[in-house]
């Protein structure tokens, strides 16, 4: 206590003996940043040299933070019969469960570092204890979320459980790997292989709805059948004889007579005809050769050799040069559709890291009869103005 009194006395005496609070400023000086005095009442971000921070990317209830949360990207897919979606969590951007096989797990992980080699080693060696890690080029090509991907398949002991299996579809963007993983008892994984690949193909990014009870907003999502025509007031009756609108996306094309629009499709210009034949225009990400190899796989054919790819025939599509793929065989899509004795015609162009294509597949007789119509359809295709 006496010490504090002495301190106050010294301070008071110093103040009393100080000269008047006047003086002259000298010439300005340039000081380096590390020589500048600290401004004690400055905001913390200025004192500590912190950058400006934008709104949080996570949850928020109001203002900019809430708007950012409302616009967050989510992942959706065509949930198979007997499967159910589950809440997402860290490193699992979309999750499915199989109630009849509660030990099995199916989930999407977007953008994990480590590159392809590092992730393959983790899956095969660390998780399944397998000594051999295959080269990525040896793995089959599949489709994942609209992009060419590879499929890793393994069996062994997983997490201390013997007789386990895994299917992992994955693609890389630099060192960032996106994977869709299915683990469970080997019999369950094997029995649901086609279902898993169909779900992988259907995965797509959507935007979370501002209403948490509403489903995600998906680009190109068709309107419900009860929704009024765009521009029509709710409750109004369409004009008598008005043709039904067919969503065509950003591409205009002239369909052949006898091609029936396929209702509810998210693809552009999707039509059906004959005994199960279909033709449509769509777009995928990735490289041209890998995408062509996906379609060859649907027809039970091996990937193209480099010289065969370079010498593919050409056709006209979207007013420009395109490759033409003409395949015959037994068709089996990742969605489960099968056609014995099928034929497939594809006109495809690569532009801006995307593959835009027109695809015709069906019984060989129907496709052969429609080959000229398909060529005319491709020549008529134009980007919508």
């Amino acid at each position: 206590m006496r010490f504090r009194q002495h301190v106050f006395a010294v301070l008071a005496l110093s103040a009393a003996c100080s000269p008047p609070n006047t003086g002259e400023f000298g010439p300005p000086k340039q000081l380096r940043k590390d020589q500048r005095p600290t401004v004690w009442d400055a905001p913390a971000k200025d004192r500590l040299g912190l950058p400006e921070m934008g709104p949080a990317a996570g949850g928020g209830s109001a203002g900019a933070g809430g708007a950012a949360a409302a616009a967050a990207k989510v992942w959706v897919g065509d949930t198979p019969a007997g499967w159910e979606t589950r809440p997402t969590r860290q490193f699992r951007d979309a999750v499915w469960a199989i109630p009849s096989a509660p030990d099995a797990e199916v989930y999407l992980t977007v953008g994990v570092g480590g590159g392809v080699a590092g992730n393959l080693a983790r899956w095969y060696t660390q998780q399944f204890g397998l000594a051999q890690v295959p080269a990525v080029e040896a793995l089959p090509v599949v489709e994942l979320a609209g992009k060419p991907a590879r499929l890793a398949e393994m069996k062994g002991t997983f997490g201390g459980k013997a007789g386990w299996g895994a299917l992992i579809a994955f693609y890389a963007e630099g060192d960032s790997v996106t994977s869709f993983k299915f683990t469970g008892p080997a019999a369950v994984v094997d029995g649901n292989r086609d279902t898993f690949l169909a779900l992988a193909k259907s995965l797509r990014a959507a935007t979370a709805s501002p209403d948490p009870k509403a489903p995600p907003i998906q680009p190109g999502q068709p309107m419900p059948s009860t929704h009024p025509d765009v521009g029509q007031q709710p409750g109004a009756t369409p004009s008598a004889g008005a043709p039904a609108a067919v969503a065509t996306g950003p591409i205009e094309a002239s369909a052949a007579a006898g091609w029936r629009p396929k209702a509810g499709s998210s693809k552009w210009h999707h039509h059906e005809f004959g005994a199960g034949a279909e033709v449509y225009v769509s777009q995928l990400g990735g490289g041209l050769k890998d995408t062509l190899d996906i379609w060859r796989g649907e027809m039970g054919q091996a990937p193209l050799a480099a010289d065969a790819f370079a010498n593919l025939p050409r056709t006209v599509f979207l007013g420009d040069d395109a490759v033409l793929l003409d395949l015959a065989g037994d068709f089996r899509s990742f969605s489960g559709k099968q056609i014995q004795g099928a034929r497939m015609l594809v006109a495809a162009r690569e532009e801006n890291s995307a593959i835009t294509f027109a695809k015709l597949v069906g019984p060989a007789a129907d496709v052969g009869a429609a080959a000229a119509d398909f060529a005319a359809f491709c020549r008529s295709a134009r980007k919508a103005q």
Side-chain angles (χ1 to χ4, degrees):
M1 186 68 180
R2 294 179 59 189
F3 175 78
R4 291 175 60 189
Q5 291 174 343
H6 291 163
V7 171
F8 292 149
V10 170
L11 292 175
L13 180 61
S14 299
C17 297
S18 297
N21 192 21
T22 59
E24 296 182 359
F25 291 101
K29 296 181 179 180
Q30 293 282 346
L31 296 179
R32 297 193 311 271
K33 185 175 182 179
D34 59 354
Q35 294 177 318
R36 297 172 191 167
T38 301
V39 181
W40 293 105
D41 59 350
K45 70 178 183 64
D46 293 337
R47 288 190 288 108
L48 301 178
L50 298 175
E52 291 287 344
M53 302 295 289
S61 58
K73 178 184 287 188
V74 296
W75 290 84
V76 297
D78 299 337
T79 301
W83 292 33
E84 297 177 355
T85 58
R86 290 287 189 266
T88 60
R89 57 186 187 272
Q90 188 177 24
F91 301 122
R92 299 192 178 191
D93 298 279
V95 182
W96 280 265
I98 307 174
S100 62
D103 290 340
E105 293 188 304
V106 182
Y107 58 89
L108 174 74
T109 301
V110 178
V112 171
V116 170
N119 279 277
L120 285 175
R122 178 167 60 87
W123 298 330
Y124 279 87
T125 304
Q126 296 178 20
Q127 296 182 354
F128 273 83
L130 301 174
Q132 293 292 101
V133 179
V136 65
E137 296 81 7
L139 299 175
V141 177
V142 296
E143 185 177 336
L144 173 60
K147 295 185 178 182
R150 298 284 178 167
L151 180 66
E153 302 182 63
M154 56 208 76
K155 289 184 175 68
T157 299
F158 176 75
K161 302 173 184 177
W164 222 248
L167 295 170
I168 306 175
F170 67 92
Y171 63 79
E173 295 173 328
D175 287 334
S176 179
V177 176
T178 292
S179 63
F180 189 43
K181 190 171 185 178
F182 180 13
T183 60
V188 173
V189 174
D190 289 345
N192 287 275
R193 187 180 190 277
D194 290 346
T195 303
F196 170 76
L197 291 176
L199 178 56
K201 183 176 181 179
S202 76
L203 290 177
R204 54 204 180 271
T207 302
S209 173
D211 181 354
K213 297 180 181 179
I217 303 167
Q218 304 175 43
Q221 181 176 352
M223 292 288 190
S225 59
T226 56
H227 196 285
D229 290 341
V230 176
Q232 176 186 327
Q233 295 299 319
T237 303
S239 301
V246 178
T248 59
I251 303 297
E252 297 175 346
S254 300
W259 290 7
R260 306 179 301 274
K262 184 171 181 178
S265 174
S266 61
K267 296 181 173 66
W268 310 330
H269 287 282
H270 198 167
H271 293 79
E272 298 173 306
F273 65 93
E278 61 179 338
V279 58
Y280 59 86
V281 179
S282 191
Q283 192 174 71
L284 292 170
L288 181 57
K289 182 180 181 303
D290 284 343
T291 305
L292 296 178
D293 287 341
I294 288 176
W295 295 322
R296 288 179 63 84
E298 289 183 321
M299 297 292 284
Q301 299 191 19
L304 283 164
D307 58 341
F309 172 67
N311 293 311
L312 284 172
R314 321 297 289 190
T315 190
V316 176
F317 177 54
L318 292 175
D320 209 334
D321 187 58
V323 299
L324 176 64
L325 196 65
D326 188 347
L327 304 172
D330 294 333
F331 173 72
R332 183 178 183 181
S333 75
F334 294 123
S335 62
K337 182 176 180 178
Q338 299 184 41
I339 303 173
Q340 300 295 316
R343 185 178 175 187
M344 178 188 295
L345 297 174
V346 180
R349 294 189 64 247
E350 183 172 13
E351 184 178 10
N352 299 327
S353 301
I355 311 301
T356 307
F357 64 93
K359 181 178 180 181
L360 167 61
V361 63
D366 287 340
V367 173
D373 289 337
F374 180 71
F377 175 74
C378 291
R379 286 194 300 270
S380 74
R382 296 287 186 275
K383 294 180 180 179
Q385 300 299 316

